[in-house]
Amino acid sequence: GAVVSQHPSRVICKSGTSVKIECRSLDFQATTMFWYRQFPKQSLMLMATSNEGSKATYEQGVEKDKFLINHASLTLSTLTVTSAHPEDSSFYICSARDPNYYNEQFFGPGTRLTVL
Amino acid sequence: AQSVTQLDSQVPVFEEAPVELRCNYSSSVSVYLFWYVQYPNQGLQLLLKYLSGSTLVKGINGFEAEFNKSQTSFHLRKPSVHISDTAEYFCAVSAESGTYKYIFGTGTRLKVLA
């Protein structure tokens, strides 16, 4: 089946630093990837849609300059949290859309970000 | 646009009892429907999905769901739950075409009691 990986699975950083999270589709080419954020005991909130070779589309209320998304290849999208602050601490989950199978999304295992 | 409603935020149930987790959706176009389970500090695991064909969908761990287009529902059921089923369950909907975004419900916490 389709597999999506995320790296790192857990990261702790100091306030003011930037953190990069990678999302890879391992066995299919994903023209579109999605980034979600999940606060404790809450649902997933879509942050942005990442299209290979073009700019990401951000959901309303998501700061583009805070959350930089790059989708440079058909198997890799990255999310960079710039100048992270404690309120950015969250669980970040990516997904990749398989255009050859009902456009179903396959989810990565998530990255737990803690900003001190 | 699509929307999903999970009316029950928490569902307590005794072990070996049946359970139903409710999911209703709203959409002006045809949809795909999904149920995911999330254990503490873990990612999402797909339980089952409705893409096309039979409206009764069977998934992993003994779960099943029925797509009811007239009632715009996709309720999740299990005839006999185990302690290990204690987790958060999310229903999601996606339009068959367009942006392919998934809209998630607010989740239902299933707590299985001994």
Side-chain angles (χ1 to χ4, degrees), chain B residues 18-114:
Chain B
V19 70
E20 178 180 85
L21 305 184
R22 296 181 293 169
C23 173
N24 286 89
Y25 71 93
S26 173
S27 177
S28 58
V29 299
S30 296
V31 296
Y32 299 137
L33 293 156
F34 307 85
W35 274 101
Y36 292 89
V37 61
Q38 186 177 37
Y39 299 99
N41 298 312
Q42 293 188 27
L44 298 180
Q45 181 179 6
L46 179 66
L47 278 176
L48 48 78
K49 58 192 175 187
Y50 172 78
L51 301 177
S52 67
S54 174
T55 57
L56 181 61
V57 181
K58 294 189 182 298
I60 63 172
N61 301 340
F63 284 94
E64 66 177 35
E66 185 158 18
F67 171 51
N68 189 317
K69 191 173 182 179
S70 63
Q71 297 188 5
T72 61
S73 67
F74 191 56
H75 301 332
L76 181 70
R77 302 184 183 96
K78 186 170 182 177
S80 176
V81 296
H82 303 291
I83 296 289
S84 58
D85 292 322
T86 294
E88 191 80 24
Y89 291 78
F90 293 99
C91 180
V93 64
S94 170
E96 283 190 10
S97 61
T99 64
Y100 310 111
K101 292 181 183 180
Y102 280 23
I103 304 300
F104 283 86
T106 50
T108 297
R109 175 150 186 81
L110 174 65
K111 185 170 177 62
V112 181
L113 308 169

Side-chain angles (χ1 to χ4, degrees), chain A residues 56-58 62-69 80 82:
Chain A
T57 303
Y58 292 81
V62 177
E63 297 177 61
K64 300 178 183 181
D65 296 332
K66 160 70 79 175
F67 300 101
L68 300 180
I69 291 172
T80 301
T82 63

Side-chain angles (χ1 to χ4, degrees), chain A residues 21 27 35 60 72 86 102 111:
Chain A
I21 302 170
D27 49 7
W35 287 95
Q60 193 171 9
Y102 295 94
T111 297

Side-chain angles (χ1 to χ4, degrees), chain A residues 33-37 43-49 57-60 62 95 105, chain B residues 101-104:
Chain A
M33 292 184 173
F34 302 86
W35 287 95
Y36 297 84
R37 183 173 182 177
S43 187
L44 279 74
M45 296 296 294
L46 179 64
M47 298 174 65
T49 302
T57 303
Y58 292 81
E59 295 298 303
Q60 193 171 9
V62 177
S95 70
Q105 291 183 32
Chain B
K101 292 181 183 180
Y102 280 23
I103 304 300
F104 283 86

